[in-house]
Amino acid sequence: MKNVTVTMDEALLKRARVAAARDGKSLSRFIAEAVEQRVGRPLTQREALERFLAGPLMNLTDENGKAPSRDELYD
């Protein structure tokens, strides 16, 4: 974990402390979770692969439904 200095208006800081306390969290955890919601978390390798595989299929067949030969691909 890295320490970060954040500058904010005193009134906002008071509201953030109250909100963190209401959630039963430290102010640090509260702010970290808010940032994570905004920027997202990194995908695991499995999640990234599943997202890639869920994308649109690539139609490689010609109008007759035939796939190109190796020679046709590398012409």
Side-chain angles (χ1 to χ4, degrees):
M1 293 276 186
K2 291 286 187 178
N3 289 327
V4 177
T5 300
V6 177
T7 304
M8 66 179 73
D9 181 72
E10 187 70 31
L12 176 59
L13 176 59
K14 286 178 184 178
R15 293 195 321 266
R17 283 184 174 144
V18 169
R22 185 177 51 238
D23 290 355
K25 300 175 184 170
S26 68
L27 183 59
S28 179
R29 171 68 8 221
F30 182 79
I31 292 172
E33 288 177 3
V35 170
E36 186 175 58
Q37 282 182 335
R38 178 69 183 205
V39 300
R41 62 172 179 75
L43 296 178
T44 65
Q45 212 172 17
R46 181 186 182 104
E47 290 170 329
L49 181 60
E50 287 173 351
R51 183 181 285 184
F52 174 77
L53 293 175
L57 296 176
M58 298 174 80
N59 185 7
L60 300 176
T61 59
D62 63 13
E63 60 277 352
N64 299 320
K66 182 181 173 207
S69 68
R70 184 181 187 287
D71 291 337
E72 290 171 329
L73 285 174
Y74 291 99
D75 260 353

